[in-house]
Amino acid sequence: MTTFNEMIDDTLLHLQGYTKQQDQVTHITADTTSTATTMIVNDVTSISRGTAEVGNELIWIDSVDQQTGTVTIPPYGRGYRSSTAASHTSGSMVTSSPMFPRKMVSQALNDAIMAVYPELFAVGTTEITFNPAVTTYELPVGALDILQVSWQTTGPSKEWLPVRRFRVDRHAATGAYSSGVSLSVYDSIVPGRPMKITFTKEPSPLVNDSDVFNTVTGLPNSCEDLVRFGAAYRLVPFFDSAQASGDSAQADFSAGQRPVGSSSALSRFLLQMYQVRLAEEVKGMQSAFPVRSHYTR
């Protein structure tokens, strides 16, 4: 039951394990609204003019009052860089110039989720009551390929028998089938019996911090580390931008200690780990959902 918020935290922990750089943090000492242009922080030595992060929101700080701990934010400073302005409670952590803002990590995680398709896919099910006067039925929006179609027999056994003759139309006329996807069934089925249809669909992105990974994406729980590897190898190259040579002797010396391009090897390593885990998950999904032969018209 891993949530989106926990996945972001785990990815940040994974990334920070590869660097000695630690973000400077403090916390706000009073509740603030989504439109407030001032905040009061606990430690002014850990905050400065520039970009800061509170929760999932990026803000731009204009100035910091060293005496009162008051942070002044310009009108454009809330919801900075397309993040979402939000209210924050006392005690919320404030990170000064975060290397990996949570907004960036969340986007990388969703990019990794969407990239696993079609090698991996989400699975959906629907039930339809068989009507002998109807051969074609509408499938849910987003349904792509059929993994299995079965119907429940009459009698005490409650056995589900496979449907062997069916056809999927991904481009069905939306005037008749609003989802644009339909299933035509040609087997002889007892009227009024339920049909269970298992189908593939693209994974869904995570939106809210409380979103549960497998519930929302439709991917199995075992894919969590795969998605984190996918996000990490996308984010690691940003280490280099922080090492770009500056205009001072100190900056040049620091860049020489950790030259630009040094993160490339790490990125390749994470990509290899991602590819290994992807291959393992593909085998697992093929085992769980073997190809079933069927007949079409």
Side-chain angles (χ1 to χ4, degrees), residues 203-207 211-219:
S204 299
L206 299 165
V207 178
D211 285 351
V212 177
F213 173 75
N214 65 318
T215 302
V216 174
T217 65
L219 296 170

Side-chain angles (χ1 to χ4, degrees), residues 123-288:
V123 178
T125 60
T126 187
E127 282 197 14
I128 298 172
T129 300
F130 181 73
N131 182 348
V134 178
T135 58
T136 305
Y137 303 85
E138 181 177 347
L139 292 178
V141 175
L144 295 173
D145 293 318
I146 298 298
L147 295 171
Q148 182 178 4
V149 183
S150 57
W151 67 280
Q152 190 178 36
T153 61
T154 58
S157 69
K158 299 181 180 180
E159 182 181 7
W160 288 84
L161 295 178
V163 174
R164 298 295 188 187
R165 295 189 298 164
F166 62 86
R167 181 177 66 87
V168 181
D169 185 358
R170 294 196 213 173
H171 307 286
T174 54
Y177 310 100
S178 59
S179 67
V181 188
S182 67
L183 172 71
S184 299
V185 177
Y186 307 118
D187 271 10
S188 296
I189 299 174
V190 176
R193 301 308 297 164
M195 287 192 304
K196 183 168 67 176
I197 301 145
T198 306
F199 55 87
T200 68
K201 58 182 181 177
E202 291 188 38
S204 299
L206 299 165
V207 178
N208 304 307
D209 283 350
S210 59
D211 285 351
V212 177
F213 173 75
N214 65 318
T215 302
V216 174
T217 65
L219 296 170
N221 281 324
S222 58
C223 288
E224 289 178 19
D225 67 323
L226 166 68
V227 170
R228 288 196 296 270
F229 277 127
Y233 90 76
R234 287 171 166 82
L235 291 169
V236 161
F238 285 97
F239 282 140
D240 278 344
S241 62
Q243 308 305 326
S245 179
D247 294 330
S248 66
Q250 292 87 346
D252 287 339
F253 176 77
S254 176
Q257 298 291 86
R258 291 178 291 180
V260 173
S262 59
S263 67
S264 298
L266 175 57
S267 182
R268 287 193 296 271
F269 166 75
L270 291 171
L271 176 58
Q272 290 172 350
M273 292 294 295
Y274 170 80
Q275 291 171 333
V276 168
R277 285 291 296 117
L278 179 60
E280 292 173 345
E281 288 297 325
V282 168
K283 288 182 180 178
M285 189 157 281
Q286 289 172 344
S287 176

